[in-house]
Amino acid sequence: MVQQPLTSAAGVLALLSESDNNLKQHALKGLNPLVPQFWAEISENLTEIESLYEAEDLPIPARQLAALIVSKVYYYLEEYDEALSFALSAGPAFEAEARAHGAEEYVETVVCERLIY
């Protein structure tokens, strides 16, 4: 069976409003690789993702992943100060992203932004 390409992040974004934290964590894991393709659509839910970064009832790795997603969306919006701020908050999630294939430009831009300030 041939897998159809994704045309939207709507299904994953819908999971963010579920009450179950496991579903929210699953949504964050699903959103991260979708940011380069669907950043504009994801940006419409930026406030909700930022609130997950601040949610004390989520495990720290999930909160760091939320910060990474927010950082990447701000990067695509060319809001580099915000991208840097959330990248620093992402900690180990940002470090893992730095080793991911295809993330070089994002990582280099954020690191350069850090060197400038």
Side-chain angles (χ1 to χ4, degrees):
M1 180 179 220
V2 177
Q3 183 176 359
Q4 297 294 322
L6 286 176
T7 58
S8 174
V12 180
L13 288 167
L15 294 175
L16 294 175
S17 33
E18 292 291 331
S19 59
D20 184 346
N21 281 343
N22 289 325
L23 291 175
K24 291 177 184 178
Q25 291 176 66
H26 180 72
L28 292 171
K29 289 176 187 173
L31 278 178
N32 188 41
L34 299 179
V35 174
Q37 185 176 3
F38 299 110
W39 62 267
E41 183 179 2
I42 296 168
S43 73
E44 296 173 11
N45 297 80
L46 210 50
T47 304
E48 190 169 8
I49 300 169
E50 283 184 37
S51 71
L52 292 177
Y53 159 66
E54 297 169 350
E56 294 184 9
D57 59 335
L58 284 178
I60 290 174
R63 295 171 64 188
Q64 291 170 334
L65 182 56
L68 176 65
I69 293 167
V70 171
S71 172
K72 289 166 64 175
V73 171
Y74 276 126
Y75 161 77
Y76 284 105
L77 291 170
E78 297 183 2
E79 297 287 340
Y80 300 125
D81 290 341
E82 292 292 329
L84 171 62
S85 175
F86 281 96
L88 291 172
S89 298
F94 180 78
E95 293 171 17
E97 186 73 17
R99 295 186 298 273
H101 176 70
E104 297 87 1
E105 185 177 333
Y106 158 71
V107 171
E108 288 175 15
T109 302
V110 171
V111 169
C112 286
E113 187 69 20
R114 175 66 178 133
L115 294 175
I116 292 170
Y117 292 99

